[in-house]
Amino acid sequence: MTDLLSAELLADIRERAADYDRDNAFFAEDLADLQASGYLGAMVPTAFGGAGLTLQETAHEQARLAAHAPATALAVNMHHVWVGVGRYLHERGDSSLDWLLREAASGEVFGFGYSEPGNDLVLLGSRTEARPDGSGGYTFHGRKIFTSNSPAWTRLGVLGLEKSGGLRGRNGAPRLVHAFVTREGGGFTILDDWDTLGMRASQSRSTLLDGAHAPADRVLRLLPPGPSLDPYVLGIFTSFEVLLSSVYAGIADRALELAVETVHRRTSMKTGKTYAQDPDVRRRIADMALAQDSVWLQIDGITRDLDASAADPTLDRGAGWFRATAGLKVRVTEAARDVVDQAVRVSGGSTYFTGSELGRLYRDVLAGIFHPSSDDAAHGTVAQSLLGPLE
């Protein structure tokens, strides 16, 4: 596997992470170094000028990056998600995002502009208006939140609901418009409103769309609202959930590493021994490791099947991918929160200070509960797979 994330690069990134967090600053130097290393083209097939990493390999690299700088990894993740969608489609004979693979290899940075305030439908609906321009393109009008890479994206994937004047779908119903707008095209305002508990360097600011334009050749799908098995939607959902899971798995990996180091250093006045000899501490450490072993078995199993399913249809789960990957995201992020919590408990009160790396991981890992799929949504997906839809 191509070593895009060298030990030296990761060490530099870790060294900057605390400063970015303290200053609530964008990870600009990290991004420049990652671009120079070719990491933004990690999953781009070699035929398009990328490194050709599989989804499974990219998940492991994202975890390594997250173990050094969680916010940097989370923001870069949104770029990798779009590359993952392009690769997913290309491997299944759909060339509609081949341009994205080429542009990612050439240095363009992709952002994810789907999340909206009060929209728990996520991919299934939108509060943003998509207004047809009369030539097959659309302008977008609405508010997007949690737009990672806000200071640096050059291409933004957006979702909106078609308004009057469009070609309309069956029975004249409006459709969901999936498209890409460019930074140089304007028609948007990025708010300086990212002042959060954790994941501060991601600078996932709100974006006000007020006429951002996607020409016809950058309109990728016109789909009815609601569930869809369109490969574009499946590609977004699976890439997002899997790569997001890998970021939080990487945070937990680092928390376990720090906990082991700390309990070897700390000494009990009561026993005169290090805390590594304390039975209660040893059990907590073992619990953390058992959880992480399970997490990686799940990530590797799902990514292995996703990577192979294009060539082997027997591995394609169809609608079952929604259950598999939503469940993965919830299990991994919940496990990561528990691992970090236990790491803080065995490491002592020093983790409560702002300069503590474990303290920062404790804040960063909390963000996992806010990404889709939520715990409630994942349970709804699993229930529907077993019991059918609600009447």
Side-chain angles (χ1 to χ4, degrees):
M1 184 172 66
T2 304
D3 186 16
L4 301 174
L5 297 176
S6 67
E8 295 78 13
L9 172 58
L10 289 173
D12 288 343
I13 287 174
R14 175 172 287 162
E15 186 175 352
R16 291 189 285 254
D19 291 340
Y20 288 143
D21 177 74
R22 182 195 64 232
D23 299 337
N24 194 30
F26 184 61
F27 64 103
E29 295 92 343
D30 289 359
L31 181 60
D33 286 350
L34 291 168
Q35 286 179 305
S37 75
Y39 188 60
L40 297 191
M43 220 177 350
V44 176
T46 55
F48 292 93
L53 270 60
T54 64
L55 180 62
Q56 184 176 78
E57 290 170 334
T58 306
H60 278 265
E61 291 299 276
Q62 276 296 93
R64 290 179 64 216
L65 181 57
H68 289 77
T72 292
L74 180 66
V76 170
N77 209 64
M78 301 312 166
H79 169 90
H80 283 315
V81 166
W82 281 123
V83 178
V85 179
R87 182 183 179 122
Y88 182 92
L89 295 176
H90 179 78
E91 290 177 341
R92 287 157 180 79
D94 183 338
S95 62
S96 59
L97 276 184
D98 283 2
W99 63 266
L100 185 151
L101 298 174
R102 295 188 185 92
E103 290 194 358
S106 69
E108 301 293 350
V109 179
F110 287 84
F112 203 83
Y114 274 52
S115 295
E116 299 168 336
N119 179 9
D120 56 358
L121 292 172
V122 195
L123 289 174
L124 310 184
S126 179
R127 293 177 180 272
T128 297
E129 293 186 12
R131 300 174 186 171
D133 66 0
S135 301
Y138 287 83
T139 60
F140 292 83
H141 306 260
R143 184 188 186 104
K144 302 295 183 178
I145 57 174
F146 297 118
T147 316
S148 298
N149 286 325
S150 285
W153 62 259
T154 61
R155 306 285 186 266
L156 183 67
V158 293
L159 174 67
L161 187 65
E162 184 179 41
K163 294 302 178 181
S164 61
L167 296 177
R168 295 302 186 98
R170 183 179 301 177
N171 300 323
R175 296 170 295 184
L176 290 172
V177 183
H178 298 259
F180 282 84
V181 300
T182 65
R183 199 174 196 94
E184 61 267 25
F188 63 88
T189 301
I190 296 174
L191 304 183
D192 187 10
D193 61 351
W194 189 251
D195 188 7
T196 52
L197 184 67
M199 294 296 188
R200 289 162 66 81
S202 72
Q203 290 300 299
S204 305
R205 304 171 185 175
S206 299
T207 305
L208 304 182
L209 301 174
D210 187 21
H213 181 246
D217 63 349
R218 293 299 166 93
V219 175
L220 279 302
R221 288 295 191 276
L222 298 170
L223 300 173
S228 174
L229 286 177
D230 187 282
Y232 188 84
V233 174
L234 270 171
I236 293 174
F237 197 94
T238 55
S239 295
F240 187 95
E241 301 288 62
V242 166
L243 291 174
L244 187 74
S245 297
S246 70
V247 168
Y248 289 91
I251 293 174
D253 284 344
R254 177 59 174 167
L256 175 58
E257 181 180 39
L258 288 171
V260 169
E261 292 175 0
T262 301
V263 300
H264 275 296
R265 289 196 310 267
R266 295 181 70 210
T267 301
S268 168
M269 287 187 67
K270 181 166 56 177
T271 66
K273 298 178 180 179
T274 68
Y275 279 91
Q277 298 301 310
D278 184 301
D280 292 330
V281 170
R282 293 173 70 87
R283 182 172 182 83
R284 285 189 185 277
I285 294 287
D287 276 344
M288 295 160 67
L290 288 169
Q292 284 306 96
D293 289 347
S294 173
V295 156
W296 280 110
L297 285 171
Q298 294 175 66
I299 292 174
D300 282 342
I302 287 179
T303 54
R304 181 179 59 246
D305 284 357
L306 275 167
D307 281 330
S309 62
D312 184 355
T314 65
L315 296 174
D316 190 350
R317 306 185 193 184
W321 285 124
F322 293 113
R323 171 180 171 178
T325 55
L328 177 73
K329 180 269 172 181
V330 169
R331 291 191 299 272
V332 172
T333 54
E334 290 298 320
R337 288 178 63 210
D338 185 58
V339 166
V340 176
D341 181 77
Q342 294 202 61
V344 167
R345 289 173 185 270
V346 302
S347 298
S350 63
T351 60
Y352 199 59
F353 286 79
T354 57
S356 164
E357 183 180 356
L358 255 179
R360 174 160 47 84
L361 296 184
Y362 192 81
R363 291 184 286 108
D364 285 344
V365 78
L366 182 63
I369 67 175
F370 300 110
H371 302 291
S373 296
S374 68
D375 180 67
D376 289 343
H379 278 80
T381 298
V382 174
Q384 179 164 317
S385 74
L386 295 170
L387 303 172
L390 284 167
E391 297 179 0

